């Protein structure tokens, strides 16, 4: 991801960094190209506009134009603004609450929700020494609960025993009770998805939320779907409320627009990124590192 954007930007910046002097027109021309590159990377139009406006305000200032290496200063301003657009600081999953801490995973079918639930459970178990219980609340897809059980075995994390015929809210209640009795630190609730957002799904998510009062509600979205991922996040947030986003398939060759627009459009931090199918292919999202990668 980001390779073509990165190539485009380095082409644009090569033209200005070697020069000892830049006119306001030179800066504006470079920014027009940056704007085009971001739009081609599928970054939301409003986000691109506000980004280039902020860069322009700083970059056409006398300080830059008159500096010894004006091109480098423009690149640095773009870098800083990229970091700001991506959310400035890394925001880890927050577990600061009374145990067992409920984490609710939401998202469309196929976004990588179940895989991410298991990846995150593994990580919390291994890196933070948490005792984690996972439960699948997906009663619509017959194989869903079994899929989580198998992943749980694979990563060495407990899953709630499957009881046929229970509703998602019943399973969630049973998971919370089992976690209290078993002395678990974290309960991860893997909810059902759909191919698209519909009313029954939103109502189900609201009911589960009301029953479990999750400390984190993480929206899992497929980065390869670009602006659709951003729209999905916005819809889930307005109906259910999300505390953070996990972008999956960042290892794929998408254009990167979802990662770049998500924070600015939804106001919610990307907390983690999925970078592969393997159970350890989950990383923290560091705005600074992503900006470094994009600007080479
Ligand atoms: P769910 O329907 O949202 O629960 O989706 P799944 O967790 O079943 O994932 C669907 C497919 O996406 C599986 O084949 C996963 O291995 C794959 N997948 C999930 N996350 C990633 C990721 O970050 N990168 C890649 N390449 N594949 C992923």
């Amino acid at each position: 991801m980001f390779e073509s954007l990165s190539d485009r930007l380095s082409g644009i910046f090569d033209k200005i960094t070697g020069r000892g002097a830049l006119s306001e027109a030179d800066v504006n021309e470079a920014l027009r190209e940056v704007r085009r590159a971001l739009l081609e990377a599928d970054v939301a139009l409003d986000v691109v506009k506000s980004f280039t406006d902020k860069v322009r305000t700083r970059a056409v200032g006398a300080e830059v134009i008159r500096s010894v290496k004006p091109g480098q200063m423009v690149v640095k301003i773009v870098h800083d603004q990229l970091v700001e657009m991506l959310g400035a600081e890394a925001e880890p999953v927050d577990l600061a609450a009374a145990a067992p801490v409920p984490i609710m995973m939401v998202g469309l079918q196929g976004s990588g929700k179940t895989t991410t639930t298991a990846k995150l459970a593994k990580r919390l178990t291994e890196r933070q020494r948490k005792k984690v219980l996972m439960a699948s609340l997906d009663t619509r897809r017959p194989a869903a609960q079994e899929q989580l059980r198998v992943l749980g075995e694979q990563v060495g994390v407990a899953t709630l025993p499957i009881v046929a015929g229970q509703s998602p809210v019943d399973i969630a209640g049973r998971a919370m009770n089992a976690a209290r009795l078993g002395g678990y630190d974290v309960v991860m609730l893997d909810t059902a998805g759909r191919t698209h957002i519909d009313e029954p799904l939103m109502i189900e998510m609201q009911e589960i939320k009301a029953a479990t009062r999750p400390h984190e509600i993480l929206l899992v979205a497929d980065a390869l779907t670009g602006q659709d991922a951003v729209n999905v996040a916005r819809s889930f947030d307005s109906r259910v409320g999300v505390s953070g986003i996990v972008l999956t398939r960042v290892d794929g060759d998408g254009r990167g627009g979802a990662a770049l627009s998500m924070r600015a459009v939804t106001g919610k931090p990307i907390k983690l990124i999925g970078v592969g199918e393997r159970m350890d292919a989950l990383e923290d999202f560091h705005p600074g590192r992503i900006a470094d990668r994009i600007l080479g």
Side-chain angles (χ1 to χ4, degrees), residues 106-119 138 141 144 147 151 190-194 220-222 224 246-252 273-279 281-282:
V106 303
L108 293 184
Q109 195 174 305
S111 59
K113 201 163 6 78
T114 302
T115 312
T116 303
T117 301
K119 284 177 177 176
D138 187 351
R141 228 170 22 102
Q147 183 193 353
L151 288 175
D190 179 21
T191 64
R194 301 274 202 282
V220 180
D222 179 351
L224 296 183
V246 183
L247 266 190
T248 59
R249 300 205 181 84
V250 175
D251 52 306
I273 50 175
V275 293
E277 296 197 48
R278 292 203 347 250
M279 283 296 119
L282 184 71

Side-chain angles (χ1 to χ4, degrees), residues 47-258:
V47 177
V48 175
K49 268 198 185 133
S50 125
F51 177 86
T52 42
D53 284 350
K54 285 181 189 162
V55 172
R56 181 174 298 108
T57 305
R58 288 183 59 195
V60 298
E63 196 194 337
V64 172
I65 308 270
R66 287 201 209 112
S67 74
V68 185
K69 292 183 170 170
Q72 266 96 329
M73 281 188 76
V74 172
V75 177
K76 179 168 184 314
I77 291 167
V78 168
H79 180 277
D80 292 350
Q81 217 54 59
L82 265 179
V83 174
E84 189 192 298
M85 174 167 114
L86 292 167
E89 301 286 335
E91 294 210 25
V93 173
D94 179 10
L95 299 179
V101 181
I103 300 180
M104 181 173 165
M105 309 293 285
V106 303
L108 293 184
Q109 195 174 305
S111 59
K113 201 163 6 78
T114 302
T115 312
T116 303
T117 301
K119 284 177 177 176
L120 179 56
K122 174 178 157 66
R123 189 186 162 100
L124 296 176
T125 304
E126 292 175 0
R127 294 200 194 172
Q128 293 179 243
R129 302 271 162 241
K130 298 293 179 190
K131 188 173 170 187
V132 182
L133 178 67
M134 300 193 289
S136 168
L137 313 188
D138 187 351
T139 54
R140 282 169 55 93
R141 228 170 22 102
Q145 299 191 50
E146 180 60 15
Q147 183 193 353
L148 189 67
R149 190 190 66 74
V150 170
L151 288 175
E153 272 187 9
Q154 198 182 320
V155 296
V157 173
T159 45
L160 186 74
I162 298 169
V163 174
Q166 283 198 313
S167 71
V169 169
D170 288 343
I171 301 173
R174 188 159 58 85
M176 294 308 295
N177 278 333
R180 267 181 221 112
L181 290 172
Y184 285 88
D185 301 308
V186 177
V187 183
M188 300 205 52
L189 304 167
D190 179 21
T191 64
R194 301 274 202 282
T195 49
H196 60 277
I197 288 172
D198 63 18
E199 196 54 24
L201 177 68
M202 291 300 149
I203 290 170
E204 183 174 314
M205 295 304 114
Q206 289 166 352
E207 287 173 353
I208 295 167
K209 178 182 176 182
T212 58
R213 303 169 146 273
H215 190 59
E216 287 265 24
I217 299 179
L218 299 178
L219 182 272
V220 180
D222 179 351
L224 296 183
T225 63
Q227 287 311 303
D228 283 346
V230 180
N231 293 333
V232 165
R234 227 175 14 184
S235 303
F236 268 93
D237 189 39
S238 70
R239 294 299 306 275
V240 187
V242 310
S243 56
I245 290 152
V246 183
L247 266 190
T248 59
R249 300 205 181 84
V250 175
D251 52 306
D253 65 354
R255 290 177 288 170

